[in-house]
Amino acid sequence: MISDVFRKAEKCSKRGNLSFFDIESTQVCSTWRAVSRSDLLWQNLTRRIWNREQLLLSHNTWREEFMYRHRTANNFRLHRYTYRTLQFVPGNQNNDNDGISCRRLALSDHYLAAGLSNGSVCLFHLPSRLHLSTFHPQHRDRLGRFSIAVSGIILSDTQVVFASLDGDIHVAIINHPNHPRRAHLGDVVNDGALVDFTGCNQWWVGLYAGVPGRAFHVWNSETEELVFVGGSLTNPEAVMGWHLLTDQVTEFVGRIRVTSHETAMASTSLRVMVFDLRNQGIVLGDEEFHRELVVGCVDASDESILLVDSRGLASVRRVGTLEEVCRFTVRGALQRDVLGCINGGNAIICTAGVIRVWNIEHGAYLYSFRDRIGDANAIVADERHVAACSRDATVHLWDFGAQ
């Protein structure tokens, strides 16, 4: 009985079918009514479907958490959202903001972080839509005009961990008056440029380009100890990695993402690799592509990977095996600066300022956002929000949260 409930709950959640969970309805059987009183059941369902381990502060039970997330997923399916633009003053030590652009975006339950080309990170409070603070890195001699540009952010509701192209990693405590602490001093000469950076509660993971055989760096996030260096994924992109430090390069050299199963997925324009973070030398999947991938569209969420090639053919793959789940066509993928991201149920892709949404279970096209944003520098999504930053440094935020 319980296993049947799990299977039906997961199926209904992905399809946005609310009637199954409306336990007040006379159409629901008495057995389901009895089972649904167990908060442990709702906790297990929430963990299984949305990979949630903690309740939102506003929720007292796991049933409330589940219903909120289910209705929010339904809002994504039905195109229900509120739209806002966010304003920030990036600033730097010279109060000179000319030419500053947004390079990275990251979301948590309550915050949005924007990483800028001047090395700083702006933090917004999502419930109030206010710009709370700007974190500035510890400065040192630059190794190139753009060497301090933010190349990745790990964001929680308590701290911000951000990295720059020169390999420096800083840790800032949210709502703490002190300046960010430099947790790792980069070594560009021996490692190359840190082209992407991500992580989770247990790991920090960096993707480097510039020095052969040192593509991946993995740190234990609790001890901040470097536990692994290796990999040849970005060897062909070494020259491009060096150019990022000195030139205004708009293409992405590579992407790296951490999934919910303690694995990491990394990609360049011609190759995708998945490896185990607990056993860093173990490669779980490795595939080369004859047709170039749009690296700015490569993303991963839970068990799914989004890939888009240069002819506009998009595919959703399983993390562990790289097996294809579905495919669809993206109009405008031949244009430059196409960006994409993925959450638990949807692929979100921006082309020429238009953001379109596809279902990742069957590849069905759902809709396009009503709001046009122009060319974008960065885009990110989670199970409630989609955020993007356009070339004019405006941060756009779409909130699909259940009311």
Side-chain angles (χ1 to χ4, degrees), residues 170-191:
H170 287 81
V171 179
I173 306 301
I174 294 176
N175 296 324
H176 198 280
N178 291 339
H179 292 292
R181 170 179 59 86
R182 184 157 53 201
H184 175 73
L185 183 65
D187 185 355
V188 172
V189 174
N190 291 313
D191 293 327

Side-chain angles (χ1 to χ4, degrees), residues 18 46 50 52 56 58-59 61-75 109 383-385 399-403:
L18 287 170
T46 306
W50 289 291
R52 288 289 301 189
L56 285 174
S58 57
H59 297 158
T61 67
W62 281 102
R63 183 188 182 281
E64 290 180 18
E65 183 78 22
F66 182 94
M67 296 303 293
Y68 167 79
R69 297 200 169 273
H70 182 78
R71 292 189 172 104
T72 298
N74 196 47
N75 287 344
D109 285 340
E383 304 312 309
R384 174 172 176 173
H385 295 97
D399 185 353
F400 291 82
Q403 302 300 319

